[in-house]
Amino acid sequence: MFAGARPFLRSCMPGLFLTITPNIHPMRNLFVCCLILLLPFAGSAQASELEQRLFELPDVAFEAIKAPEGYAAAYELRIKQPLDHENPERGYFYQRAYLTHRSFGAPMVMATEGYNRPSNRMYELTGYLSANQVDVEHRFFGQSVPDSLDYTYLNLRQATADLHHIRELLGAIYEQPWVSTGISKGGQTTIFYRYFYPDDVAASVPYVAPLNLDLTDDRIYEFLGQVGTPAIRAAIREVQLRMLRSRDEVLPLLRWHAKGAGLKFSYMSIERAFEYAVLEYPFSFWQLGHDFADIPGKAAGIEALLEHFIGVVGLDFYADGAMEAYASHYWQAGSEMGYYGFDTAPFKGLLKEIKEDEPTAIFMPGKAPMGFKPDLVKAVYDWTQRGADKMIYIYGAIDTWTATGVPVSDKVDALWFVMEGKDHGSARIRNMTEEQRQHLLSTLEGWMEKK
């Protein structure tokens, strides 16, 4: 249960096995023995002090969870947040976050997650910085939801104010420099958080984070038209054409697949989902770095083609479960953050369910109308080019989302790493060259020292 009052603590000393080497001086033996005996108590004392300090924070409930190896303690937090930070009387909800504690003297990494966080996840940056970490679930995702989902309150100003409130609360405990980071939509959140609250952190490290400038950003089409080789792009197009031309064979097999997978289609028909998946195929192929060698040749049977297709994009993304899970994400895309669409020109006469010339990849909750306003994203874009210092952007050169990434600017004190051959899941610090990694970490540590 969560600690609404001071939790009842139970601690025990772990088993200890100590071998004494005879040729070591007895006094040194005694010192080593005492040191080893004291280590568990040091960790226990830190956890006890941390719980006391968490207990003293307003609007924070906490429950101890298993700490990752090398950390003194970890907690699942519930933080009371107003629905509207400018008008707190309009109600509140509890935001889920995970706090992982190394020491009070270590820096803090705030992971600005863009979706739900069902469990604690350690980010690689936390390890590189030997830092503490707080991983924050986004408002209106997972368990961080009010009793009634009024999407009026799901906007970037409110979402970043949530992060600022957490920063203020935990900043009373963790006084060393803070760094924010996030991956994909979490990376977007990191950028927007820094825009609204530039002094909250010493630096920001968004990974594979797009900054879309329109409801359907045309830079996606430009990227897909040049990534890879002409032969690879032709093979990808052939898969799309063959799937559509073979719909009478494919759809019965897909219905059996959907039934076996427990997929339901009430938001859209399975026929329409099939067409969307075909249009999505090249985006997913490059985003997740699939191997060109795995694309079935023209001589491959329809079942081999379908197995490959499902492995790359599939239908689950368009089924009811995903529509519900990503409803809040689509709301943000359709109102403030923009997204991407599909070019149907190459498939004239082959699409029976999708009639639009440029259908969007956004599926608004309840099929609500989109009220996209580009003012914020364009303001943030301009800021990244002229005023966003101490930012480190990490992208994969073959990741589709790099198409709408933040462009390099020589007018800011920032770093860009566009990693050759890396995709949405592999563009990470651990996969950099040693020279790149050292440059990133030394620059970041220098910024943190100046904070």
Side-chain angles (χ1 to χ4, degrees):
M1 63 181 293
F2 287 90
R6 184 169 184 173
F8 174 74
L9 300 179
R10 180 184 300 170
S11 62
C12 61
M13 179 177 171
L16 177 65
F17 297 90
L18 179 65
T19 301
I20 304 298
T21 306
N23 62 352
I24 295 180
H25 191 280
M27 287 303 293
R28 184 171 294 179
N29 253 348
L30 180 61
F31 172 76
V32 172
C33 182
C34 291
L35 177 63
I36 295 175
L37 286 168
L38 286 172
L39 285 175
F41 290 109
S44 177
Q46 285 243 343
S48 179
E49 181 182 352
L50 176 58
E51 292 200 1
Q52 175 60 44
R53 298 181 73 172
L54 287 173
F55 175 73
E56 293 169 355
L57 293 179
D59 299 335
V60 176
F62 59 95
E63 178 184 19
I65 58 175
K66 183 178 180 180
E69 185 177 354
Y71 291 84
Y75 298 90
E76 182 174 341
L77 310 180
R78 291 282 196 259
I79 301 158
K80 187 177 182 180
Q81 297 278 16
L83 277 174
D84 183 345
H85 284 268
E86 296 178 358
N87 299 282
E89 71 279 358
R90 293 182 179 174
Y92 63 89
F93 69 100
Y94 284 93
Q95 187 167 29
R96 178 166 60 181
Y98 299 93
L99 174 63
T100 308
H101 177 83
R102 184 184 291 274
S103 77
F104 295 111
M108 173 64 79
V109 169
M110 175 186 275
T112 59
E113 185 56 49
Y115 296 106
N116 60 309
R117 298 300 308 128
S119 60
N120 192 18
R121 178 175 74 178
M122 299 307 296
Y123 284 68
E124 65 170 2
L125 192 64
T126 304
Y128 282 117
L129 297 178
S130 298
N132 305 293
Q133 177 182 290
V134 57
D135 185 12
V136 185
E137 185 172 73
H138 201 291
R139 71 160 45 202
F140 283 49
F141 286 84
Q143 295 186 11
S144 300
V145 294
D147 293 336
S148 177
L149 281 179
D150 183 348
Y151 282 112
T152 304
Y153 300 110
L154 178 56
N155 58 64
L156 290 163
R157 184 175 292 277
Q158 298 292 351
T160 56
D162 293 339
L163 299 173
H164 178 64
H165 183 48
I166 293 171
R167 171 67 176 92
E168 288 186 319
L169 286 169
L170 294 183
I173 297 175
Y174 298 98
E175 298 179 356
Q176 296 303 309
W178 284 53
V179 174
S180 60
T181 192
I183 299 171
S184 193
K185 189 173 183 298
Q188 289 178 294
T189 309
T190 290
I191 295 171
F192 287 110
Y193 172 46
R194 189 66 178 283
Y195 172 76
F196 282 108
Y197 297 97
D199 298 324
D200 268 18
V201 296
S204 302
V205 187
Y207 290 71
V208 295
L211 187 56
N212 307 308
L213 300 180
D214 210 336
L215 198 60
T216 54
D217 197 313
D218 289 345
R219 291 175 294 170
I220 295 291
Y221 306 139
E222 296 169 10
F223 177 90
L224 293 175
Q226 59 80 34
V227 65
T229 66
I232 296 176
R233 295 196 296 272
I236 289 172
R237 178 61 51 83
E238 182 60 30
V239 169
Q240 293 177 280
L241 291 171
R242 189 176 174 194
M243 289 291 291
L244 290 172
R245 289 168 180 161
S246 305
R247 72 165 58 234
D248 290 342
E249 295 177 79
V250 169
L251 279 170
L253 296 173
L254 283 176
R255 289 191 181 95
W256 279 109
H257 166 72
K259 185 174 182 179
L263 303 179
K264 305 294 183 183
F265 295 89
S266 59
Y267 186 95
M268 70 175 74
S269 67
I270 193 170
E271 294 83 2
R272 188 173 177 86
F274 161 68
E275 292 187 358
Y276 266 114
V278 170
L279 296 176
E280 173 78 24
Y281 173 77
F283 190 107
S284 292
F285 183 91
W286 292 111
Q287 179 188 3
L288 300 178
H290 289 278
D291 191 343
F292 167 60
D294 294 335
I295 300 178
K298 294 182 179 179
I302 197 67
E303 290 189 3
L305 179 68
L306 189 56
E307 182 178 0
H308 165 76
F309 178 78
I310 290 173
V312 173
V313 56
L315 289 184
D316 54 336
F317 194 62
Y318 302 96
D320 292 351
M323 291 298 159
E324 180 179 347
Y326 292 104
S328 294
H329 156 65
Y330 287 132
W331 175 270
Q332 290 188 281
S335 59
E336 281 188 305
M337 297 175 73
Y339 213 43
Y340 64 100
F342 303 108
D343 179 14
T344 62
F347 311 109
K348 292 296 184 184
L350 295 175
L351 298 171
K352 297 182 179 180
E353 300 294 326
I354 297 175
K355 305 299 183 182
E356 306 94 320
D357 290 333
E358 190 183 19
T360 176
I362 300 170
F363 306 102
M364 294 291 279
K367 299 185 178 181
M370 298 179 207
F372 178 71
K373 297 178 180 178
D375 298 353
L376 176 58
V377 289
K378 290 184 177 180
V380 173
Y381 180 90
D382 290 342
W383 169 75
T384 64
Q385 301 302 286
R386 295 179 176 86
D389 292 329
K390 299 180 176 57
M391 304 284 293
I392 298 177
Y393 304 96
I394 301 172
Y395 292 103
I398 65 170
D399 175 15
T400 315
W401 277 123
T402 300
T404 57
V406 175
V408 175
S409 170
D410 60 4
K411 295 181 174 60
V412 291
D413 183 16
L415 294 180
W416 278 261
F417 295 89
V418 181
M419 300 172 63
E420 289 299 322
K422 302 305 180 186
D423 56 57
H424 207 64
S426 61
R428 302 290 186 268
I429 297 173
R430 63 180 177 271
N431 294 326
M432 290 180 176
T433 66
E434 183 64 25
E435 182 180 3
Q436 289 175 321
R437 185 163 48 249
Q438 290 304 318
H439 180 41
L440 184 153
L441 293 173
S442 62
T443 301
L444 181 57
E445 289 167 359
W447 288 342
M448 292 167 66
E449 287 174 3
K450 294 177 184 177
K451 180 63 177 177

